[in-house]
């Protein structure tokens, strides 16, 4: 199998540059080439633009240094040592063919070539190309933005070398973090074939039924398991001007009897909007916009839909829609589409057509219903794919409704009868095939998922906020199940039970803290905190903080390794549990930080202490390296490791409530160590964390508590407070920010301890608790917490 060590991307538009950035996020050097226009280096300009783009294409800005830019005419020789060449030029066949001719002359033998096309079939792309080119060629269709969208549609030809397919599948999965779905060489592949139909029908039915944009998006979003953008919000996001292009591409190549041809309407108002600059979020607005006459108010407006025209006078203030179908979502998909309301009827008509279309395309666009479902979940972020939705409705019920409406029932629905498309058999999930047989869903090697484990096992310990699972080889997995995976007394109790279980057992030897929620943890349960504060339950609050401190300290000094495996947000206490672990194995898209200052608090479960220790470690390593000394005998207090340097860095991090925008960024900030691991594909995270746990368990020695911490005392605290005072004078910090920062400075400088005195970790925890409780008694803190929870009044300062 070919090793991919260097990649070339030809074309530096939004997709080409985004793909290049994601390749660098995987640590791969990239050659990015484009044409020269009016003497401008488009590729270099694209990289510069990405460094300013939000959300950021690069996981850390330094990754941009891995890109070498140039022009196709002058620098095509740079692709000669590239193992994979990705073409992302204009969606015109003649331009692509001309590009392939140049690539073929410059590339090395055996290098893999792929196109990111979303519209042109593979068999047309390789027309007239030599056999050697066809053998190394495939389509790798990334979704925008390439860093954040997980779907990669892979299309191969009859002549494509299977080894090349294996190579690209592996790198896209393991290094780029993609869910690779094999598609047939048909128009729009899977996701856009179905997605464009769904969006088109959504617009048409809204006009036909007189459904407002607000109601349409409210009902065709969270209630049915679709992102909150719904139909019209998504069109605004991707660009209204893109929709006619996608439609034209599909119509140019779809079979004559395809249902999309009947659904498509070339609305005049869409062309009018594009001509007027209303192309969505990237333009003056779209179906939604901010009132240009009230820029400071940020008043959201929506467009009143009419099929025949567009005029700016059709915008009006957006209303919060009210419809029983929206609330019906709590009862599941069927409850929404059977609700006798305008919203319910709209949802039914849109989804009925979309699910019928999906059933018609089984075997045409992909081999299995599972591939189709994965395509829509990964490409459009649906919680359920089309066939999982049909299961939620009941396949027989759905088929009966189609028949009642005079619609032809597709063969796959006839075959399934009163069965379901998915089932659990012998602890394994299976899907219904076109051969009328059920087939196991097979995970790639290196994928371990709790949701699969749960099919055949029960937790060995559980309460209302947590569950503990045996994931094999003597490793346990601790799973948060509380709302937003927040910390409460039940979480702490379960953690301590788990610790005792492992320490008293010969069967278990390591712990992984992990869950498969959207986010790892939002920290402490602030609703519970507000409840206790309002009742002046100060003793209970203090005990809650002490319990968290004891729990995290017990985990840190346990006689077995603890690995934290976060993904998504890990904030406040969710960050502190990462800091106390022996190691972190993080998903690349982990956003972590000590954000307590933002709600008028300070980290109370060891966050302040751990950040000081982290920065002292770095200072010590630097000092040891500079002095040529290695080992534990090195002094911690030295000219380069003063009692001020590490606290100052910790203060900047905590007082500014810095949040890492990726796992790589977390290493740069200091939340993660250089030795902590990063997993690009979230479905491989638990497996990687388990392997790290087993590695540490082999010769594990519990760390010793630090007893030699020196901090700067009152002089250092004064210096930190002066820095905040300067920020207040410049208007960058509020008066209450100064109050909070004073308490943070007191902790990080050691309180009443003089810099000549040594402290231990427990001393710092006691100081954290003391300053934390002082802040809680300040009315400004409660005001901020309630404001963040949406239950309070506007902030005064």
């Amino acid at each position: 199998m070919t090793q991919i060590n260097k990649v070339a991307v030809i074309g530096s538009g939004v997709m080409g540059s985004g793909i290049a950035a994601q390749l660098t996020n995987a640590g791969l050097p990239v050659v990015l080439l484009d044409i020269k226009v009016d003497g401008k280096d488009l590729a270099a300009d694209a990289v510069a633009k990405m460094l300013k783009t939000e959300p950021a294409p690069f996981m850390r800005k330094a990754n941009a240094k891995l890109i070498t830019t140039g022009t196709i005419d002058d620098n095509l020789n740079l692709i000669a040592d590239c193992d994979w060449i990705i073409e992302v030029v204009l969606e015109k066949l003649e331009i692509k063919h001309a590009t392939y001719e140049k690539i073929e002359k410059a590339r090395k033998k055996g290098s893999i070539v792929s196109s990111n096309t979303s519209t042109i079939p593979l068999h047309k792309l390789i027309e007239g190309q030599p056999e050697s080119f066809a053998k190394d060629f495939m389509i790798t269709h990334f979704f925008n933005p390439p860093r954040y969208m997980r779907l990669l549609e892979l299309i191969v030809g009859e002549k494509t070398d299977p080894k090349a397919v294996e190579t690209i599948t592996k790198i896209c999965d393991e290094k780029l973090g993609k869910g690779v779905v094999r598609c047939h060489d048909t128009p729009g592949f899977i996701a856009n074939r179905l997605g464009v139909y769904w969006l088109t029908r959504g617009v048409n039915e809204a006009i036909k039924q007189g459904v407002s944009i607000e109601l349409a998006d409210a009902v065709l979003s969270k209630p049915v398991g679709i992102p909150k953008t719904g139909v019209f919000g998504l069109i605004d996001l991707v660009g209204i001007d893109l929709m006619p292009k996608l439609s034209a591409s599909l119509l140019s190549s779809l079979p004559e009897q395809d249902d999309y041809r009947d659904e498509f309407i070339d609305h005049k108002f869409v062309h009018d909007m594009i001509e007027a600059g209303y192309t969505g979020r990237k333009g003056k607005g779209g179906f939604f916009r901010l009132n240009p006459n009230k820029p400071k108010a940020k008043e959201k407006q929506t467009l009143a839909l009419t099929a025949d025209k567009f005029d700016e006078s059709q915008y009006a203030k957006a209303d919060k829609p009210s419809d029983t179908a929206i609330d019906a979502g709590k009862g599941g998909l069927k409850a929404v589409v059977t609700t006798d309301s305008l919203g319910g009827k709209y949802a039914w008509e849109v989804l009925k057509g979309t699910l019928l279309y999906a059933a018609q395309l089984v075997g045409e666009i992909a081999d299995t219903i599972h591939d189709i479902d994965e395509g829509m979940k990964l490409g459009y972020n649906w919680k359920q794919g089309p066939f999982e939705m049909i299961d939620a409705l009941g396949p027989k019920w759905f088929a009966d409704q189609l028949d009642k409406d005079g619609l032809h029932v597709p063969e796959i629905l006839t075959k399934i009868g009163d069965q379901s498309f998915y089932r659990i058999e012998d602890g394994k999930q299976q899907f219904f095939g076109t051969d009328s047989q059920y087939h196991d869903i097979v995970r790639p090697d290196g994928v371990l998922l709790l949701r699969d484990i749960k099919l055949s096992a029960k937790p060995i310990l559980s309460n209302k906020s947590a569950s503990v699972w045996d994931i094999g080889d003597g490793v346990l997995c601790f799973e948060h199940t509380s709302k937003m995976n927040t910390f409460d007394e039940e979480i702490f109790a379960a953690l301590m039970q788990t610790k005792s279980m492992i320490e008293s057992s010969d069967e278990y030897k390591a712990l992984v803290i992990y869950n498969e929620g959207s986010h790892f943890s939002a920290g402490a349960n602030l609703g519970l905190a507000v409840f206790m504060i309002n009742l002046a339950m100060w003793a209970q609050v203090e005990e809650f903080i002490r319990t968290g401190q004891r729990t995290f300290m017990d985990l840190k000094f346990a006689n077995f390794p603890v690995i934290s495996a976060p993904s998504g947000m890990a904030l406040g206490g969710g960050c502190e549990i990462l800091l106390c672990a022996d190691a972190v194995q993080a998903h690349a898209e982990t956003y972590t930080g000590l954000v307590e200052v933002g709600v008028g608090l300070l980290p109370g479960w060891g966050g302040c202490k751990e950040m000081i220790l982290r920065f002292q470690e770095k200072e010590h390593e630097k000092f040891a390296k500079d002095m040529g000394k290695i080992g534990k005998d090195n002094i911690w207090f030295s000219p380069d490791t003063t009692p001020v340097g590490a606290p100052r860095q910790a203060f900047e991090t905590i007082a500014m409530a810095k949040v890492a925008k990726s796992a790589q960024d977390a290493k740069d900030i200091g939340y993660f160590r250089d030795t902590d691991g990063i997993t690009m594909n979230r479905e491989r995270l638990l497996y990687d964390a388990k392997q790290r746990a087993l590695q540490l368990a082999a010769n594990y020695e519990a760390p010793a508590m630090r007893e030699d911490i020196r901090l700067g005392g009152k002089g250092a605290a004064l210096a930190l407070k002066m820095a905040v005072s300067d920020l207040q004078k410049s208007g960058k910090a509020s008066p209450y920010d100064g109050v909070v920062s004073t308490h943070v400075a007191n902790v990080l400088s050691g309180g009443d301890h003089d810099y000549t005195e040594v402290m231990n970790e427990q001393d710092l925890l006691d100081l954290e608790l003391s300053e934390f409780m002082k802040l809680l008694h300040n009315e400004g803190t409660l005001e901020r917490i309630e404001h963040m929870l949406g239950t309070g009044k506007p902030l005064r300062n």
Side-chain angles (χ1 to χ4, degrees):
M1 186 168 61
T2 303
Q3 284 290 109
I4 305 296
N5 298 313
K6 188 175 183 180
V7 184
V9 178
I10 313 299
S12 64
V14 173
M15 283 303 300
S17 58
I19 292 168
Q22 182 64 0
L23 289 162
T24 69
N25 292 335
L28 292 165
V30 178
V31 172
L32 180 62
L33 304 179
D34 209 326
I35 59 174
K36 186 181 291 184
V37 177
D38 298 330
K40 293 182 179 179
D41 185 342
L42 296 184
D45 290 347
V47 174
K49 183 177 180 181
M50 285 195 294
L51 288 169
K52 302 174 183 177
T53 300
E54 290 293 340
F58 293 111
M59 291 182 180
R60 57 154 53 115
K61 289 189 175 182
N63 291 348
K65 296 177 182 178
L66 288 171
I67 299 180
T68 301
T69 62
T71 65
I72 297 172
D73 290 335
D74 298 336
N75 306 108
L76 199 60
N77 61 300
L78 294 176
I79 75 170
D81 61 345
C82 293
D83 307 297
W84 180 17
I85 302 156
I86 307 172
E87 168 270 302
V88 202
V89 301
L90 290 176
E91 290 288 89
K92 292 185 178 180
L93 188 58
E94 62 275 16
I95 293 177
K96 291 185 183 292
H97 279 168
T99 303
Y100 297 159
E101 289 178 14
K102 294 177 181 178
I103 290 173
E104 183 64 7
K105 292 176 182 177
R107 75 185 182 106
K108 67 180 179 182
K109 183 179 180 181
S111 59
I112 299 168
V113 182
S114 71
S115 174
N116 186 59
T117 183
S118 60
T119 60
I120 304 174
L122 184 145
H123 64 271
K124 289 188 177 180
L125 292 174
I126 61 172
E127 280 179 357
Q129 304 302 319
E131 288 288 320
S132 58
F133 184 88
K135 181 173 75 73
D136 296 331
F137 186 80
M138 65 191 76
I139 292 173
T140 50
H141 181 216
F142 291 80
F143 273 62
N144 191 34
R147 171 181 166 183
Y148 301 97
M149 296 302 294
R150 286 198 57 223
L151 178 61
L152 183 127
E153 293 178 318
L154 181 63
I155 300 90
V156 304
E158 294 178 1
K159 298 177 181 179
T160 308
D161 183 353
K163 291 183 179 179
V165 176
E166 183 183 355
T167 296
I168 296 304
T169 300
K170 183 177 178 64
I171 190 173
C172 289
D173 170 358
E174 297 178 12
K175 286 200 168 185
L176 300 184
K178 301 303 174 189
V180 181
V181 177
R182 289 284 292 271
C183 310
H184 292 174
D185 189 20
T186 56
F189 311 132
I190 293 176
N192 281 342
R193 179 78 172 270
L194 283 171
V196 173
Y197 181 95
W198 164 65
L199 292 172
T200 301
R201 190 169 177 89
V203 172
N204 291 346
E205 285 296 329
I207 294 172
K208 180 180 177 181
Q209 297 186 40
V211 175
S212 70
I213 286 173
E214 298 100 314
L215 177 56
D217 280 1
V219 73
L220 269 187
S221 52
K222 185 178 179 180
V224 296
I226 287 172
K228 64 181 181 180
T229 49
V231 170
F232 294 95
L234 181 58
I235 295 173
D236 272 1
L237 179 63
V238 300
I240 293 173
D241 55 328
L242 180 63
M243 296 306 295
K245 296 174 183 177
L246 289 171
S247 297
S249 174
L250 287 173
L251 293 169
S252 69
S253 51
L254 285 174
E256 287 300 319
Q257 302 304 314
D258 192 271
D259 273 13
Y260 182 74
R261 294 188 179 278
D262 296 328
E263 188 62 47
F264 175 73
I265 299 174
D266 191 17
H267 293 293
K268 181 180 181 298
F269 79 88
V270 171
H271 297 284
D272 290 345
M273 290 179 74
I274 295 169
E275 187 176 343
Y278 284 88
T279 54
R281 294 189 187 182
K282 64 184 178 182
K284 294 160 65 176
F287 294 109
F288 296 88
R289 76 169 187 179
L290 293 177
N291 188 340
N293 299 318
K294 298 180 179 180
K296 292 184 179 180
K298 293 186 177 180
E299 178 186 283
K300 182 183 283 188
Q301 295 184 316
T302 55
L303 184 70
L305 289 175
T306 57
D308 58 342
K309 67 173 184 176
F310 163 76
D311 189 277
E312 290 193 37
S313 64
Q314 294 168 231
Y315 283 106
K317 184 178 179 180
D319 293 323
K320 185 176 182 179
S322 176
D323 191 285
T324 51
I326 299 172
D327 295 330
K330 299 172 185 176
L333 181 64
K334 192 172 183 178
V336 176
V337 300
T338 56
T339 298
D340 186 17
S341 69
L342 182 59
K345 292 173 183 176
Y346 171 72
W348 167 243
E349 285 301 325
V350 175
L351 289 178
K352 176 180 72 175
T354 303
L355 300 181
L356 169 61
Y357 192 52
Q360 293 170 345
L361 297 176
V362 176
E364 178 184 338
I365 62 175
D367 288 334
T368 71
I369 63 162
H370 181 60
D371 287 333
I372 293 174
D373 279 349
E374 288 298 292
M376 292 309 294
K377 288 191 292 184
L378 295 173
Y380 278 74
N381 284 328
W382 289 8
K383 285 192 174 180
Q384 294 180 306
F387 294 93
E388 291 171 320
M389 286 185 175
I390 294 175
D391 271 356
L393 297 174
K396 188 175 187 306
W397 180 88
F398 182 63
D400 289 344
Q401 297 305 308
L402 295 178
D403 186 58
K404 185 190 298 184
D405 290 347
L407 298 169
H408 175 69
V409 178
E411 183 182 7
I412 193 73
L413 284 169
T414 302
K415 286 182 177 180
I416 196 71
D418 57 3
Q419 302 177 93
S420 60
F421 283 109
Y422 291 90
R423 73 176 188 183
I424 308 301
E425 190 73 14
D426 296 327
K428 294 182 178 179
Q429 189 176 24
Q430 298 179 327
F431 64 88
F432 187 78
T434 54
D435 58 359
S436 299
Q437 301 297 314
Y438 283 94
H439 305 269
D440 289 347
I441 293 175
V442 180
R443 306 292 186 195
D445 290 340
V447 171
L448 179 64
L449 299 170
L450 271 186
R451 63 177 180 267
D452 287 344
I453 292 171
K454 292 175 182 180
L455 298 178
S456 59
K458 293 182 178 180
I460 61 173
L461 185 156
S462 67
N463 60 29
K464 66 180 183 181
S465 297
S467 295
V468 180
W469 302 87
D470 186 339
I471 59 175
D473 300 312
V475 181
L476 295 182
C477 177
F478 185 94
E479 176 195 26
H480 284 67
T481 57
S482 54
K483 185 177 181 180
M484 294 185 71
N485 297 325
T486 52
F487 286 85
D488 56 23
E489 294 98 331
E490 297 280 348
I491 292 284
F492 294 138
L495 280 168
M496 295 313 297
Q497 284 181 270
T498 305
K499 174 182 178 289
S500 298
M501 185 187 307
I502 296 175
E503 288 184 331
S504 62
S505 168
D506 294 330
E507 185 178 355
Y508 304 120
K509 55 189 175 185
L511 177 66
V512 172
I513 300 173
Y514 162 92
N515 64 71
E516 290 171 5
S518 299
H519 298 290
F520 179 73
S521 175
N525 184 334
L526 291 179
L528 175 63
V530 168
F531 173 77
M532 290 192 287
I533 294 170
N534 279 322
L535 294 179
M537 299 170 66
W538 304 114
Q540 288 86 344
V541 174
E542 184 170 343
E543 181 56 29
F544 180 57
I545 302 304
R546 281 195 186 280
T547 301
Q549 289 185 345
R550 285 195 298 266
T551 303
F552 288 1
M553 284 284 276
D554 283 352
L555 287 177
K556 179 175 181 177
F557 299 113
N559 65 6
F560 57 86
V562 176
I563 310 298
S564 286
S567 179
M569 290 192 297
L571 304 175
C575 179
E576 288 173 295
I577 199 168
L578 306 183
L579 294 171
C580 79
D582 291 283
V584 171
Q585 185 68 38
H587 179 230
E589 298 299 345
T590 295
Y591 317 115
T592 190
L594 297 171
V595 297
E596 288 87 348
V597 167
V599 291
L601 295 171
L602 57 78
W605 288 334
C608 295
K609 166 180 73 74
E610 291 298 328
M611 291 310 295
I612 289 173
L613 299 184
R614 290 291 172 96
F615 287 122
Q616 283 191 344
E617 281 178 18
K618 285 193 172 185
E619 286 187 336
H620 177 57
E621 289 166 2
K622 181 179 183 301
F623 177 67
K625 183 179 179 181
D626 291 345
M627 299 299 291
K629 298 177 181 179
I630 302 173
K632 294 182 178 179
D633 294 333
N634 288 341
I635 57 174
W636 284 87
F637 179 59
S638 71
D640 294 315
T641 56
T642 67
V644 178
R648 178 183 53 77
Q649 290 177 285
F651 183 77
E652 289 175 2
T653 301
I654 295 169
M656 299 300 290
K658 289 184 180 179
V659 176
K661 296 182 179 180
S662 70
Q664 293 178 17
D665 192 30
K667 288 191 175 188
D668 293 340
I669 292 173
Y671 291 129
F672 295 168
R673 293 185 173 95
D674 291 339
T675 53
D676 288 331
I678 297 176
T679 298
M680 292 295 284
N681 191 325
R682 188 175 181 181
E683 295 206 335
R684 295 181 173 276
L685 180 58
L686 181 56
Y687 178 87
D688 289 349
K690 177 184 172 182
Q691 297 311 303
R692 188 71 187 279
L694 291 171
Q695 182 185 37
L696 290 179
N699 297 290
Y700 186 72
E701 290 185 16
M705 182 184 292
R706 285 280 307 280
E707 305 275 357
D708 56 353
I709 304 167
R710 295 178 184 271
L711 298 175
K714 293 182 178 179
L718 180 61
L720 296 177
K721 294 170 188 176
M722 287 177 64
V724 176
S725 177
D726 290 340
L727 289 174
Q728 288 177 309
K729 290 175 182 177
S730 65
K732 295 180 180 179
S734 71
Y736 195 73
D737 290 334
V739 174
V740 178
S741 297
T742 294
H743 290 279
V744 174
N746 289 341
V747 175
L748 297 178
S749 59
D752 292 330
H753 286 76
D754 186 79
Y755 74 90
T756 60
E757 300 176 82
V758 294
M759 302 174 69
N760 62 33
E761 293 189 46
Q762 188 58 52
D763 292 333
L764 271 177
L765 285 177
D766 292 342
L767 188 54
E768 272 188 23
L769 178 60
S770 173
E771 296 296 330
F772 186 96
M773 293 305 297
K774 290 175 184 176
L775 268 175
L776 272 189
H777 282 80
N778 190 305
E779 65 177 17
T781 297
L782 180 59
E783 183 180 285
R784 270 165 170 69
I785 296 174
E786 290 183 328
H787 177 76
M788 195 206 74
L789 293 173
T791 60
K793 300 176 182 178
L795 297 179
R796 288 172 292 174
N797 60 61

